[in-house]
Amino acid sequence: MLITLTKNAAKHIQQQIAKRGKGLALRVGIKKSGCSGFSYTFDYADEIRPDDQLFESHKTKIVVDRYSLPYLDGSQIDFVKEGLNSSFQFINPNIDSTCGCGDSFSIKESAQI
């Protein structure tokens, strides 16, 4: 299983961890939410938990819990600026469809646990 970052995402995560003054990695996961079923969660990890999987890309660490990992396997995380807005965006091969607002998604049957 693998999750990677673009150079833009890695740079942004490194800057935010430095700004916070602490942190080991970006914690990424999913939760049941929205009209399509799931949405992404983001936080900064100050510790690695026993059920976490650790990835490193462009010298930047990403932490994913075991529950979320099958849904995120093969994903690439980018950080995109569009006008005044900026956000993390996933290129996730496990997504079947997204809702109209783009905040939630459904998972292909092959990726479901």
Side-chain angles (χ1 to χ4, degrees), residues 30-78:
I30 63 162
K31 65 179 180 177
K32 290 187 178 190
S33 169
C35 52
S36 290
F38 295 98
S39 63
Y40 296 110
T41 62
F42 299 95
D43 198 1
Y44 289 94
D46 295 326
E47 65 181 354
I48 307 301
R49 300 175 189 150
D51 69 336
D52 286 339
Q53 178 73 41
L54 182 65
F55 299 93
E56 188 167 337
S57 185
H58 299 288
K59 300 181 182 180
T60 305
K61 294 178 182 167
I62 312 153
V63 175
V64 180
D65 65 86
R66 286 186 194 154
Y67 168 77
S68 301
L69 191 55
Y71 302 101
L72 300 175
D73 183 32
S75 293
Q76 182 178 53
I77 304 170
D78 195 6

Side-chain angles (χ1 to χ4, degrees), residues 82-103:
E82 296 173 351
L84 297 175
N85 298 320
S86 59
S87 64
F88 287 110
Q89 291 185 352
F90 271 82
I91 301 150
N92 185 341
N94 303 302
I95 290 181
D96 187 36
S97 64
T98 58
C99 69
C101 66
D103 287 336

